[in-house]
Amino acid sequence: MTSKIKPAKGSPYARILGVGGYRPTRVVPNEEILKHIDSSDEWIRSRSGIATRHWAGPEETVAAMSVEAGGKAIADAGITPDQIGAVIVSTVSHFKQTPAIATEIAHRLGTGKPAAFDISAGCAGFGYGLTLAKGLIVEGSAEYVLVLGVERLSDLTDLTDRATAFLFGDGAGAVVVGPAKEPGIGPTVWGSEGDKSNTIMQTESWEVFKDAQGRDEVRYPAITQEGQAVFRWAVYEMAKVAQQALDQAGVQAEDLDVFIPHQANMRIIDSMIKTLKLPEHVTVARDVESTGNTSAASIPLAMERLLATGQAKSGDTALVIGFGAGLVYAATVVTLP
């Protein structure tokens, strides 16, 4: 029986056309973190590579930061807001179950009536969103897609938790994905290992407040992790995923210009460089030193900074990989805008 459904008329390929970022104005040095935990600046730097992070003020909401980053990405892509056909927002720190924050962001950007939805994929969220955007463009459901990674992780940080108090930062990163005449986003290697979901998790479900009745012993939920377990998983398993992404894209390590891993920990980044045998000419994003771990926002923020500072240039070939709570991961090779 012949199908009555017409085939989709999307673009044969997709690529990143523009990038934008927003970092909150408040810079928080390690010294401020040390007011709450028994540690030292030297220990924090040696364990994570983090010296400072940005924390959002009251007006720097998830939506406000996203509008700033998204507006920059749209302008950088050389299109107008009304050309955006879908808005995908990856975040774990928008605290309303519904509606999706993507709808408010789309409206405030003046995009008209695009598809708009949130995804929750932790630190791999940008890679998930990028993959969905590519699919929408190739399938023909949208011509241009705005992909945002945004977090206010300071709202989910337990300042007394010695394992995590120094890790997290706030910010928003965005890219516009659009049609291309040649491949600009490679195949995505992604997946999950749910048996390890308790290694990075929220300390309490929001349900803890349902019957709390104002009891003092109910603590606000925060993010916690089993640091050593996460470190071993990231170092040994994510390098394999990164290599698979290179293989599926048909790219060798020596063909790369840039490596943009999730900005979680400098030691993890250094270990992946060594395992992948990346040549010295490959520029490596090390935004974690001044921005901390911003989860879904970390890759687009690092990408934006590399391009803005001239450390990377338009047309460069970059390997990107995100990994985190779930445990989830996503890696692909892209052409920089």
Side-chain angles (χ1 to χ4, degrees), residues 95-246:
F95 293 157
K96 285 186 178 179
Q97 191 71 34
T98 191
I101 194 63
T103 58
E104 178 183 341
I105 294 165
H107 172 69
R108 289 176 60 175
L109 283 169
T111 57
K113 299 180 180 180
F117 57 95
D118 300 350
I119 58 175
S120 177
C123 304
F126 175 74
Y128 275 48
L130 189 65
T131 303
L132 293 173
K134 173 187 173 182
L136 291 173
I137 291 162
V138 172
E139 191 271 339
S141 294
E143 185 176 10
Y144 299 99
V145 179
L146 178 64
V147 180
L148 282 146
V150 56
E151 302 293 0
R152 272 183 57 120
L153 293 181
S154 57
D155 290 337
L156 288 167
T157 298
D158 180 353
L159 291 177
T160 66
D161 183 355
R162 191 172 184 271
T164 62
F166 57 91
L167 288 176
F168 302 122
D170 302 337
V175 298
V176 169
V177 182
K181 295 180 180 180
E182 57 184 16
I185 302 173
T188 300
V189 177
W190 58 354
S192 64
E193 297 185 31
D195 59 313
K196 301 179 181 65
S197 61
N198 63 346
T199 56
I200 307 175
M201 61 186 296
Q202 190 170 303
T203 53
E204 298 284 352
S205 165
W206 296 113
E207 289 180 335
V208 72
F209 295 105
K210 187 176 182 181
D211 301 313
Q213 302 295 324
R215 295 196 305 269
D216 292 339
E217 67 270 20
V218 177
R219 297 189 65 185
Y220 194 80
I223 297 174
T224 188
Q225 70 174 22
E226 297 176 13
Q228 288 300 317
V230 173
F231 181 85
R232 289 193 297 269
W233 175 77
V235 167
Y236 296 112
E237 298 302 323
M238 291 305 97
K240 298 177 185 177
V241 171
Q243 185 60 57
Q244 290 174 27
L246 288 173

Side-chain angles (χ1 to χ4, degrees), residues 272-284:
M272 293 182 73
I273 293 169
K274 184 177 180 180
T275 302
L276 291 168
K277 297 182 173 61
L278 295 185
E280 289 187 6
H281 76 263
V282 176
T283 298
V284 179

